[in-house]
Amino acid sequence: MRKHPASVTRGNRAARARAAGAVCAAAASLALLGACSGGSGAASSTPDGAERTERAARAADDPSPSRSRELSEDQRERKDLVSATEVGWEKAARTAEKKVSGSTLVEIELGDGDDGGGDGDDGDGGGGKVTPVWEAEVATEDGTSHDIRVDAVSGKVTRAEKDDGQDADDRKKTADRLAQAKVTPVKAAAAAAGHQKGTVTGVSLDDADGGPTVWAVDIVSRGTWAKTTFDVDAGNGRVLHEHVDRD
């Protein structure tokens, strides 16, 4: 092996050490530069973008009332009426039928008994005082109809009167519909409730645009206060159609 003078060996070692130090310093400078530039560039923007996306997703899923869209006039009315009602439609219907001997329910609907208020909105954005009542129509076998109003809080009859506006054709039409209704309104409402949870606010016997006689059942969903109307075949109890009123 060739030997180098001691001074030359030390010099080479010193040169190599200085070169290595220079390389390390350069590498450190590049790393520092990358970190600094990344702080104001893509490296920092990526977490911020992800965070913004996550916040947007949370906001979209936030069910808090502050983020819910404002209720429409009809939705406020439904909310006020349903929230104030203590007597359900079935009990009110039985009360109406008892008021007229030998009668059967033709129609019942939840409404505001305050004739002056109408829709239950006192102009302050909802939550106004309402007087919930069940407006019922019952008819005897010959089709003679009677209008019965039942207080939806106390369950008492507050008005009962014969429908003097009926003529012979009206009575016959009502009698025919009643004769065709093999399914009771209670069973029709149960069939509708199997498709939509909520509060029944109306049940009425009607003709489905020239089709079979149906029970039209209105169900209001708590939370959204949308109303879904189900046409239930009055002959066999099958749900034929449904319509959602989101207004």
Side-chain angles (χ1 to χ4, degrees), residues 186-198 200 217 219 230 232 237 239 242:
V186 173
K187 289 184 178 179
H195 290 255
Q196 175 67 57
K197 293 182 179 180
V200 174
V217 181
I219 296 181
F230 295 89
V232 182
V239 175
E242 66 179 85

Side-chain angles (χ1 to χ4, degrees), residues 23-183:
V23 171
C24 291
S29 298
L30 289 174
L32 179 60
L33 179 60
C36 292
S37 62
S40 59
S44 62
S45 63
T46 299
D48 288 344
E51 183 178 353
R52 286 195 297 271
T53 301
E54 183 179 355
R55 285 200 299 267
R58 288 198 301 267
D61 293 336
D62 185 3
S64 63
S66 63
R67 296 202 59 86
S68 299
R69 69 181 181 87
E70 184 178 355
L71 295 179
S72 69
E73 184 176 321
D74 288 342
Q75 289 169 333
R76 289 198 303 270
E77 179 183 7
R78 293 176 197 135
K79 179 180 179 181
D80 292 343
L81 286 173
V82 171
S83 299
T85 296
E86 296 184 15
V87 175
W89 79 271
E90 290 185 58
K91 183 176 181 179
R94 290 195 299 269
T95 299
E97 289 174 336
K98 289 178 181 179
K99 188 66 178 178
V100 179
S101 179
S103 68
T104 302
L105 181 73
V106 176
E107 179 179 3
I108 189 166
E109 183 178 11
L110 183 64
D112 188 355
D114 182 3
D115 294 334
D119 61 7
D121 181 12
D122 62 1
D124 62 356
K129 181 176 176 58
V130 295
T131 305
V133 297
W134 290 104
E135 300 285 3
E137 177 189 349
V138 296
T140 53
E141 189 176 357
D142 66 352
T144 301
S145 294
H146 297 257
D147 296 325
I148 312 295
R149 173 177 284 188
V150 180
D151 190 301
V153 176
S154 68
K156 296 181 179 180
V157 173
T158 59
R159 187 180 71 191
E161 56 189 20
K162 181 181 176 181
D163 184 359
D164 294 328
Q166 277 187 308
D167 57 23
D169 288 341
D170 293 332
R171 288 191 292 272
K172 183 180 185 307
K173 186 176 181 179
T174 299
D176 289 345
R177 286 205 304 261
L178 287 174
Q180 294 168 7
K182 306 303 181 183
V183 175

Side-chain angles (χ1 to χ4, degrees), residues 198-220:
T199 300
V200 174
T201 60
V203 182
S204 62
L205 191 62
D206 204 350
D207 297 325
D209 297 329
T213 299
V214 299
W215 285 107
V217 181
D218 294 334
I219 296 181
V220 171

